[in-house]
Amino acid sequence: MRLSADVCVVGAGAGGAVVAAELAEGGADVVLLDRGPRHNPDDLTARPPEMLARLYRDGGQTVTLGSPPVGLPLGSGLGGTTLVNSGTCFRTPPAVLARWAREHGLELDGGVLDPCFERVERALSVGPVTPELAGRNAEVARRGAAALGWSHGYIARNARGCVGSGVCAYGCPASAKQHVGITYVPRAEAAGARVLTGAAVERIAVAGGRARGVEGLRTGRRRVALAIDAPLVVVAAGTVETPLLLARSGLGAASGQLGRNLSLHPATAAFARMDEVVDMARGVPQSLYVDEFAADGIMLEGIAGPPAHAALALPLTGAAHAEAMADYRRLAQFGLMVSDSSRGSVRSVAGRPLVRYDLCDADLARFRTGLARLRELFETAGARAVHLPLPAGVEPRRARRRDLKLMAFHPLGTARADASAERGVVDGDLAVHGVDGVHVADGSVVPSSLGVNPQITIMALATRLALGLLAT
Amino acid sequence: MRADPFESWLAAGPAPARWGMRALVALATRPRGAALLRRLGPVGQLSGSVVALRRYDRPEVARRLGFDAAAVVARGRALRRAEGRP
Ligand SMILES: Cc1cc2nc3c(=O)[nH]c(=O)nc-3n(C[C@H](O)[C@H](O)[C@H](O)COP(=O)(O)OP(=O)(O)OC[C@H]3O[C@@H](n4cnc5c(N)ncnc54)[C@H](O)[C@@H]3O)c2cc1C
């Protein structure tokens, strides 16, 4: 199969879908490719194992190598990881943009990104969760934070007509979450973009220092070779896959930074046994944040889900686990995310990504403090018992790396942006250094951890890239 | 026939993890295997959590705990149709 276009966009997640729609609406002839399928909302079942198998790469079982291992779930298909995310929307903190200006020569501070944030937020119907929709799980944490005098608030989300189904991470059965698969992708198609699923890009074709298109495989009833001829290629395959695709194509390696500088926002969660009925799966799972300790790199955010979700995460075994699960209706859960200084890497082993990440001392200290804060939050809210994600008898201040049970949802940085070709893979306009016509628009360009959830940052950067390309 | 959701999840894992996970689940569902795993710390906890994922995903078990996946999906579908969302 061979097609030609003005622009080929690889990956239909947070970055790729936005670039494709903006370019197509601006008059460009766009082909948008994604390795995963087009998910039918009628097939969403609100059952965690089945949805993990269908909506996530490798069933959500991707794990980093290192100390400690970190679960790293990634979405797959039209919408990418936005299909399964919690819908939390934060703009890039101004202090982070100022640091990027100082450390990476990126001119994105001083309100430069504001029009892009506004454009994205409009497209995704971003607005704050109401206390009623936030549910009783959030109310437990809100009560604790208020009593302690900790800064907190209801989260802004990309949702329309949300009824608090409680299964954001397993696909929204009401299509209330405005993920890019039901917002930007249809806009791209309406503007004439051709969207191909089951299209795995193997390499970017380059000749004479310029992009010529991409090559790959289309899976379906038959596997067929796929080639797209295009003078402009936008890579948006996500932080784990983009560096591998660039490396396979012999691009972006000159600085020595390709595949490095991986930040993750490692996270964990605690449970509390309450006297009141919580029914954590009724309401928006991630509806409240506590940012009292954000300056120390510690952010507390809601998390919740159906019994199967809780059973998988509950840090108990045997009879204690069964007893706590019998009390599921009175269980509350809240999460802790660290703005990490640790840095990992991604490389290819036997054609598959191998993610290496070791938690540094500073981040271990953040987890120790954060876990103690989570316990304080729940105890102040009236918990009968708090179950921290630590082995029995281990106090937060004594926790070792191997005691932590970590997940991460925000991989960033493996093709980082830096104005200098010696320090970054892409420049401030997200063009790959050393080649013409290849850009990157996904989490991989984000040069440091953000301290907040990244989808709006990624989409705003993608918007800026698209509008910039249309203007040239 | 629709595949068992838990089986589909196990099958979706990357090859080496998939084999390891299957072995752990097989052990964890036998009394002597479960006793052995309990002595293995994090591995024991992982296998217990995975077995619990299957148990608490069963509609009759989840319903008893106040979560009815079929009802959540039916309400979502009805809203989607009524409000003209994709
Ligand atoms: C459970 C969960 C909850 C989250 N919650 C939030 C939240 O509430 N708020 C927030 O801001 N962020 C959240 N995130 C993170 C956020 O969704 C991601 O940071 C964001 O989607 C990343 O965007 P991306 O464009 O880099 O990659 P993705 O959105 O992952 O898209 C990459 C796409 O590229 C495709 N692809 C990969 N390789 C190829 C190839 N070779 N050829 C073709 N296609 C390819 C993939 O199939 C995928 O669809 C969450 C993540 C998870 C896992």
Side-chain angles (χ1 to χ4, degrees):
Chain A
M1 179 178 198
R2 185 160 214 121
L3 299 171
S4 45
D6 297 334
V7 191
C8 177
V9 181
V10 182
V18 171
V19 170
E22 292 287 2
L23 288 177
E25 287 174 350
D29 179 19
V30 175
V31 169
L32 173 61
L33 307 174
D34 200 284
R35 184 171 62 183
R38 186 186 289 266
H39 298 285
N40 179 352
D42 281 334
D43 294 338
L44 301 175
T45 63
R47 293 184 60 182
E50 191 171 20
M51 294 299 95
L52 284 167
R54 273 207 226 137
L55 308 180
Y56 286 77
R57 177 175 162 83
D58 290 336
Q61 297 172 50
T62 313
V63 180
T64 64
L65 193 70
S67 176
V70 183
L72 185 63
L74 302 166
S76 171
L78 295 189
T81 307
T82 73
L83 175 75
V84 291
N85 79 17
S86 306
T88 292
C89 294
F90 282 105
R91 291 187 180 190
T92 325
V96 171
L97 293 173
R99 196 169 80 229
W100 293 353
R102 279 195 315 275
E103 294 177 8
H104 300 284
L106 303 179
E107 293 164 3
L108 299 169
D109 52 341
V112 167
L113 277 182
D114 287 357
C116 300
F117 288 137
E118 282 156 24
R119 201 171 168 100
V120 168
E121 288 162 353
R122 236 186 350 265
L124 299 183
S125 312
V126 175
V129 183
T130 61
E132 300 72 48
L133 257 189
R136 290 192 289 251
N137 190 56
E139 175 51 23
V140 170
R142 193 209 58 76
R143 199 166 65 219
L148 288 160
W150 291 355
S151 168
H152 63 281
Y154 290 106
I155 281 174
R157 303 178 69 244
N158 51 321
R160 215 151 54 88
C162 174
V163 289
S165 300
V167 288
C168 301
Y170 308 106
C172 178
S175 289
K177 180 169 64 190
Q178 298 296 290
H179 65 83
V180 298
I182 60 169
T183 50
Y184 281 99
V185 172
R187 271 175 53 184
E189 287 179 305
R194 286 161 287 170
V195 177
L196 304 187
T197 53
V201 173
E202 293 293 328
R203 58 184 288 274
I204 300 157
V206 174
R210 257 222 81 83
R212 301 291 165 195
V214 305
E215 293 160 7
L217 269 182
R218 182 106 197 262
T219 52
R221 252 174 288 143
R222 278 185 322 120
R223 282 159 80 90
V224 290
L226 175 71
I228 311 292
D229 298 319
L232 204 57
V233 173
V234 179
V235 183
T239 299
V240 172
E241 295 289 343
T242 284
L244 305 190
L245 173 55
L246 290 175
R248 285 198 298 273
S249 312
L251 299 174
S255 64
Q257 302 301 328
L258 186 65
R260 300 179 62 191
N261 307 305
L262 172 74
S263 63
L264 289 181
H265 282 165
T268 191
F271 287 82
R273 308 275 288 273
M274 307 303 297
D275 286 326
E276 75 227 52
V277 169
V278 176
D279 277 336
M280 66 160 79
R282 293 190 193 169
V284 174
Q286 193 159 82
S287 49
L288 190 95
Y289 65 88
V290 178
D291 62 349
E292 178 71 17
F293 313 103
D296 306 323
I298 297 167
M299 184 81 152
L300 308 183
E301 285 183 354
I303 179 168
H309 153 98
L312 186 63
L314 190 65
L316 297 170
T317 52
H321 186 282
E323 195 222 322
M325 281 307 297
D327 211 14
Y328 165 80
R329 299 198 64 190
R330 291 181 168 74
L331 273 182
Q333 191 187 13
F334 217 67
L336 148 64
M337 169 177 107
V338 158
S339 184
D340 47 342
S341 326
S342 314
R343 291 293 178 267
S345 61
V346 183
R347 67 193 164 94
S348 172
V349 172
R352 291 187 58 87
L354 181 81
V355 183
R356 173 90 214 190
Y357 183 89
D358 294 288
L359 200 71
C360 70
D361 289 345
D363 291 337
L364 176 62
R366 290 182 177 112
F367 274 107
R368 287 174 172 158
T369 307
L371 286 169
R373 297 300 190 203
L374 264 184
R375 181 160 66 189
E376 201 178 348
L377 181 79
F378 276 139
E379 284 176 350
T380 307
R384 271 187 284 132
V386 178
H387 303 303
L388 292 180
L390 292 173
V394 174
E395 278 299 304
R397 67 174 190 287
R398 299 226 177 278
R400 297 157 299 180
R401 282 176 184 75
R402 66 168 182 267
D403 294 327
L404 299 173
K405 275 181 76 172
L406 303 186
M407 299 277 288
F409 307 98
H410 307 154
L412 302 168
T414 53
R416 78 173 179 198
D418 194 294
S420 153
E422 268 109 65
R423 294 177 34 84
V425 176
V426 298
D427 66 17
D429 292 325
L430 309 188
V432 176
H433 286 294
V435 61
D436 286 333
V438 184
H439 290 74
V440 181
D442 59 23
S444 68
V445 301
V446 175
S448 73
S449 52
L450 298 165
V452 296
N453 313 49
Q455 67 170 345
I456 296 295
T457 298
I458 296 167
M459 293 185 207
L461 291 173
T463 303
R464 182 169 176 272
L465 168 63
L467 299 182
L469 290 172
L470 288 170
T472 54
Chain B
M1 211 180 76
R2 209 167 126 230
D4 171 26
F6 182 76
E7 275 301 318
S8 329
W9 178 69
L10 278 184
R18 184 164 72 226
W19 303 323
M21 201 76 98
R22 277 194 196 287
L24 279 181
V25 170
L27 261 181
T29 44
R30 289 177 176 78
R32 282 168 66 184
L36 173 75
L37 284 170
R38 268 198 293 280
R39 276 183 262 134
L40 292 182
V43 177
Q45 176 144 34
L46 173 69
S47 60
S49 302
V50 168
V51 170
L53 173 70
R54 169 157 68 182
R55 172 170 163 67
Y56 291 97
D57 183 54
R58 290 198 182 116
E60 66 281 10
V61 177
R63 263 199 307 272
R64 243 181 281 131
L65 299 176
F67 180 77
D68 185 340
V72 168
V73 169
R75 180 177 63 158
R77 268 189 205 154
L79 277 167
R80 249 192 303 128
R81 305 250 144 83
E83 293 174 19
R85 284 197 293 271

